[in-house]
Amino acid sequence: LIDALRRAPIRNRISPQAKEAYERARSHGGFANSDLMVLDIGLIAVQSGYEGMAMRRTRSISKDDDGVRPFVSLNIEAAEAERNANIRFELYNQNGEQQFVHEMRTYLREGEMSIMTDHHLPLAGNRSVQGTGDWDLRVFVDGNLVAMHNFMLAPSMQERQRRLESDDAV
């Protein structure tokens, strides 16, 4: 009971994206652990322009973006703290094919931690990123699925222009 009362303020800080990602992970056999709670999850898109580099949190990326980095914020209770954990980020395309994997050893400290990948998935000019649609970000802690977040990949402006031109030719 005391643990539940102590965790109540933390539950109020869970983002809507984290709630949704946690529920999706649970429905896919994910791991539930009250000592390790997902507070937030998402993507940081990076785009270079005339004014320099712009970074934005988003749920919709485009092939015009230079790249995208996943992140997760966790609340770690004492029972899970003061140890090294393996954090794994996976991105899956609209066909369910794995497009990006990044694993990292992270020392878990008690309290709130934000963890972002060291590398990004290149988007602009990346020929291996084909098609558009709904993608998934999956986050694992020590091999256990803790969050599943969906997002949208949109075509680049060049691809949109080519489609419009081919539609006009018909």
Side-chain angles (χ1 to χ4, degrees), residues 41-164:
I41 187 169
L43 302 164
I44 303 295
V46 178
Q47 189 172 35
S48 300
Y50 294 112
E51 292 101 32
M53 185 185 299
M55 298 175 79
R56 72 184 190 287
R57 177 192 174 139
T58 185
R59 197 164 186 165
S60 179
I61 58 175
S62 161
K63 291 185 190 174
D64 288 321
D65 293 320
D66 294 334
V68 64
R69 284 185 179 195
F71 75 90
V72 67
S73 293
L74 303 171
N75 186 70
I76 296 128
E77 296 294 330
E80 287 289 325
E82 309 311 320
R83 67 180 183 89
N84 282 310
N86 188 43
I87 311 295
R88 181 179 173 104
F89 295 89
E90 298 177 352
L91 296 178
Y92 289 84
N93 69 12
Q94 71 280 359
N95 298 321
E97 300 162 340
Q98 196 175 70
Q99 294 292 303
F100 175 85
V101 175
H102 184 75
E103 274 189 63
M104 51 202 286
R105 298 280 302 158
T106 303
Y107 189 74
L108 299 181
R109 293 182 173 19
E110 187 174 355
E112 193 171 326
M113 284 187 71
S114 291
I115 303 165
M116 184 185 303
T117 61
D118 297 333
H119 304 294
H120 69 274
L121 171 66
L123 293 171
N126 185 347
R127 295 186 188 274
S128 66
V129 175
Q130 296 292 318
T132 58
D134 290 328
W135 283 42
D136 277 326
L137 161 61
R138 297 177 189 173
V139 179
F140 298 81
V141 176
D142 291 331
N144 299 305
L145 180 64
V146 297
M148 231 174 126
H149 177 68
N150 72 319
F151 62 96
M152 175 72 175
L153 174 69
S156 68
M157 292 304 287
Q158 278 184 333
E159 290 172 328
R160 293 176 199 188
Q161 187 65 35
R162 277 195 302 263
R163 286 183 191 168
L164 287 174

